[in-house]
Amino acid sequence: MRLTIILLHTSLTSKTTLFLTAAILSVSALAADFNQTQYLADQADAKAQYSLGLAYYNGQGVRQDYSKAAKWYQKVANQGDADADADADAQYMLGLMYDQGEGVRQNNATAKEWFGKSCNNGLQVGCNKFQQLNAK
């Protein structure tokens, strides 16, 4: 009986250790991925900049920070044709942020401008939001 309890306890300890090791490795992988994304974003990679904006906007892997999200979205949006999809998505997100006042001062005219740019870059949801603001 005593041996069974020791083995059971050891097994539980081993499982816990394995779980914690896997969790630590997972966090390390996320940190390495974030560092790589940060590096690429600093090199003006539009997809990496958009990814950082999204991470800060949603609080994925970092503390949620709307002003940092807006900063990264702005960098993408100002690149022009660097990456059309990331560009239109970033412009749309800036429109949302200005519309809601998240990380930036709420401003309907600026929101409308960003939605219009995203629409011009082929993002239908940007066109829809532009029309909604136009109707107000």
Side-chain angles (χ1 to χ4, degrees), residues 32-53:
D33 188 43
F34 182 82
N35 289 338
Q36 178 67 18
T37 302
Q38 178 78 52
Y39 173 78
L40 291 171
D42 289 338
Q43 304 303 313
D45 182 285
K47 286 182 181 179
Q49 290 173 335
Y50 181 77
S51 292
L52 284 183

Side-chain angles (χ1 to χ4, degrees), residues 13 22 26 32 40-41 51 56 72 79-80 91 100-101 110 120 123 125:
T13 301
S26 238
L40 291 171
S51 292
Y56 280 112
W72 287 110
Q79 284 191 34
Q91 291 165 341
Q100 299 297 315
T110 304
N120 291 339
L123 193 63
V125 69

Side-chain angles (χ1 to χ4, degrees), residues 3-59:
L3 182 59
T4 304
I5 293 172
I6 290 171
L7 289 175
L8 180 62
H9 180 68
T10 303
S11 177
L12 182 58
T13 301
S14 295
K15 288 177 184 175
T16 303
T17 302
L18 286 173
F19 175 76
L20 291 175
T21 301
I24 289 168
L25 290 174
S26 238
V27 168
S28 295
L30 285 174
D33 188 43
F34 182 82
N35 289 338
Q36 178 67 18
T37 302
Q38 178 78 52
Y39 173 78
L40 291 171
D42 289 338
Q43 304 303 313
D45 182 285
K47 286 182 181 179
Q49 290 173 335
Y50 181 77
S51 292
L52 284 183
L54 200 57
Y56 280 112
Y57 187 83
N58 292 316

Side-chain angles (χ1 to χ4, degrees), residues 51-122:
S51 292
L52 284 183
L54 200 57
Y56 280 112
Y57 187 83
N58 292 316
Q60 295 173 328
V62 294
R63 178 172 288 177
Q64 188 176 43
D65 187 329
Y66 291 136
S67 62
K68 284 185 181 178
K71 173 189 120 177
W72 287 110
Y73 289 144
Q74 188 79 43
K75 287 180 182 245
V76 178
N78 287 334
Q79 284 191 34
D81 292 331
D83 183 309
D85 290 337
D87 192 35
D89 290 338
Q91 291 165 341
Y92 176 77
M93 291 303 296
L94 283 167
L96 284 180
M97 295 178 83
Y98 277 100
D99 189 39
Q100 299 297 315
E102 296 174 327
V104 294
R105 183 170 292 191
Q106 195 277 336
N107 185 316
N108 287 335
T110 304
K112 184 177 164 183
E113 179 182 331
W114 284 117
F115 288 137
K117 287 180 180 185
S118 71
C119 178
N120 291 339
N121 282 316

